[in-house]
Amino acid sequence: MSSIQKIGVLTSGGDAPGMNACIRAVVRTGLYHGLGVSGILNGFNGLIRGEFRPMDSASVSNIIQRGGTILKTARSEAFRTRKGRATAYDNIVQQRLDALIVIGGNGTFTGARVFMNEFDIPMIGIPGTIDNDLFGTDNTIGYDTAVNTVMEAVDKIRDTADSHNRLFFIEVMGRDAGFIALRSGVASGAEDILVPETTTSIDELIDILDRGFRKNKKSGIIIVAEGDDAGGAFEVARKVRERYDHYDTRVTVLGHIQRGGSPTASDRLLASTLGFEAVNALRAENKGVMVGVINRKVVFTPFEQAIKHHKDIRRDLLEMARILSS
Ligand code: F6P
């Protein structure tokens, strides 16, 4: 029999559509195997403050389709301190939790790794962030939904861009990674896509715009990831305007709309699979790993590697996007 009798689950970092589907999968898989399941509110802050909520099957009814996270989330400063983590551990002991499942991104796994090393509590990580910037999984929970949200927004902006003959610079999320920008940019036929992973050349961008202009393009869409080195959509628009005035330009920052909404079928499936597999991994005495899906296979990556290694965007798609929109 597995030594795990009771588990805790929390969501941490930026929320992502599909986190609820994942919580549901963790709770129901745990209950199926006769485990006690405790929901921890507000990420690691709740672990420190002792915010536990017993989870039964009904507590996760009717949430598979809901964005956000019923457990709430936070980026915890207190968990960065030894004192905070020690209090968290005391609460775990008091609650008789044998293991934790944490759903979040890079910062979440960084904290989880330190905590595990200090207190030897079994932990499994599940990648939940719209950014998709985690090594060890093809997709993170929430990424597909965010991309679809951006694509739908860009489609709408294109209608007005086209009607007014305007060039739009649309800023999407991604401080350090261009996954959302790249995928949504290709899917919406953007004229160019600016991402943090490459150096942006305003000269090159103006060349692309001018080639389009000479081919009689009356409007256009430039997708700018917020972490682009040229400084975000407003700054890129300003730099272009300074030197190229063939288009009337506008800027739209999509912002947190990208984090909300009902998860896509892909995200629900991924979230359900990862939640299910995380509980099974704990029961099999696996720990200190992030569970992901690569080429349709479930894989486990040690926290250390998931944090350390960088997942790169498919740079060839940038070139493809330019060719296809030329
Ligand atoms: O990590 C997810 C993310 O949405 C990033 O894309 C974005 O840069 C950041 O969170 C925004 O964080 P906050 O909601 O704390 O402002």
Side-chain angles (χ1 to χ4, degrees):
M1 200 175 80
S2 160
S3 60
I4 308 284
Q5 298 300 312
K6 187 175 178 190
I7 60 173
V9 56
L10 61 80
T11 47
S12 161
D15 63 339
M19 279 184 164
N20 279 329
C22 190
I23 295 165
R24 170 181 176 270
V26 168
V27 171
R28 296 245 167 106
T29 309
L31 295 177
Y32 175 81
H33 290 294
L35 307 182
V37 186
S38 184
I40 300 152
L41 301 179
N42 302 304
F44 290 119
N45 281 344
L47 199 57
I48 296 168
R49 296 195 294 241
E51 297 168 347
F52 298 92
R53 184 212 271 184
M55 305 295 281
D56 60 11
S57 189
S59 69
V60 291
S61 287
N62 208 10
I63 64 167
I64 194 169
Q65 77 282 20
R66 279 171 54 195
T69 158
I70 60 162
L71 293 178
K72 315 279 178 141
T73 186
R75 302 185 203 275
S76 176
E77 282 305 318
F79 200 69
R80 291 176 192 269
T81 66
R82 167 86 197 181
K83 186 163 168 270
R85 293 192 298 274
T87 308
Y89 184 68
D90 289 346
N91 287 331
I92 287 173
V93 173
Q94 201 243 334
Q95 291 289 318
R96 298 177 187 278
L97 296 182
D98 301 310
L100 288 184
I101 291 179
V102 294
I103 309 167
N106 216 293
T108 305
F109 302 148
T110 305
R113 181 173 158 259
V114 174
F115 191 54
M116 247 195 77
N117 289 343
E118 281 172 344
F119 296 103
D120 198 26
I121 169 97
M123 291 175 93
I124 300 279
I126 299 181
T129 163
I130 62 165
D131 291 347
N132 199 34
D133 57 346
L134 280 170
F135 180 84
T137 191
D138 287 337
N139 285 349
T140 54
I141 296 169
Y143 170 57
D144 186 63
T145 307
V147 166
N148 278 285
T149 300
V150 172
M151 184 188 73
E152 283 165 23
V154 174
D155 288 350
K156 291 185 171 119
I157 291 171
R158 232 188 231 288
D159 290 344
T160 177
D162 188 50
S163 304
H164 284 265
N165 290 341
R166 281 175 175 161
L167 172 66
F168 270 79
F169 294 85
I170 303 177
E171 185 172 299
V172 302
M173 277 188 169
R175 272 183 298 217
D176 308 306
F179 290 97
I180 296 176
L182 180 57
R183 198 165 169 85
S184 63
V186 173
S188 56
E191 273 57 39
D192 203 9
I193 303 164
L194 311 184
V195 292
E197 288 85 347
T198 62
T199 308
T200 291
S201 155
I202 300 294
D203 284 341
E204 219 178 307
L205 177 56
I206 290 174
D207 273 356
I208 289 167
L209 292 173
D210 198 48
R211 277 202 296 273
F213 184 78
R214 281 189 274 111
K215 278 177 156 176
N216 218 17
K217 270 201 184 200
K218 299 277 190 254
S219 64
I221 301 285
I222 308 298
I223 301 284
V224 187
E226 62 181 331
D228 176 71
D229 67 339
F234 276 102
E235 193 51 19
V236 174
R238 190 189 63 75
K239 286 176 180 160
V240 169
R241 253 189 239 121
E242 247 173 31
R243 294 166 38 199
Y244 191 74
D245 62 0
H246 286 57
Y247 287 106
D248 182 19
T249 63
R250 290 291 185 276
V251 177
T252 302
V253 177
L254 294 182
H256 286 76
I257 193 172
Q258 295 161 89
R259 286 244 293 267
S262 183
T264 58
S266 293
D267 268 330
R268 295 181 199 196
L269 197 75
L270 178 67
S272 300
T273 304
L274 296 182
F276 177 78
E277 294 292 344
V279 175
N280 288 337
L282 278 179
R283 293 184 68 248
E285 316 273 323
N286 201 349
K287 61 181 178 180
V289 293
M290 183 195 89
V291 56
V293 173
I294 296 178
N295 289 334
R296 301 203 292 168
K297 284 209 173 65
V298 174
V299 290
F300 295 94
T301 306
F303 283 148
E304 203 175 322
Q305 284 180 33
I307 298 159
K308 194 172 84 189
H309 292 297
H310 175 74
K311 182 165 82 179
D312 205 3
I313 54 164
R314 276 192 51 197
R315 288 159 196 255
D316 56 311
L317 291 185
L318 287 170
E319 186 54 24
M320 185 188 89
R322 284 181 179 175
I323 292 170
L324 298 187
S325 66
S326 65

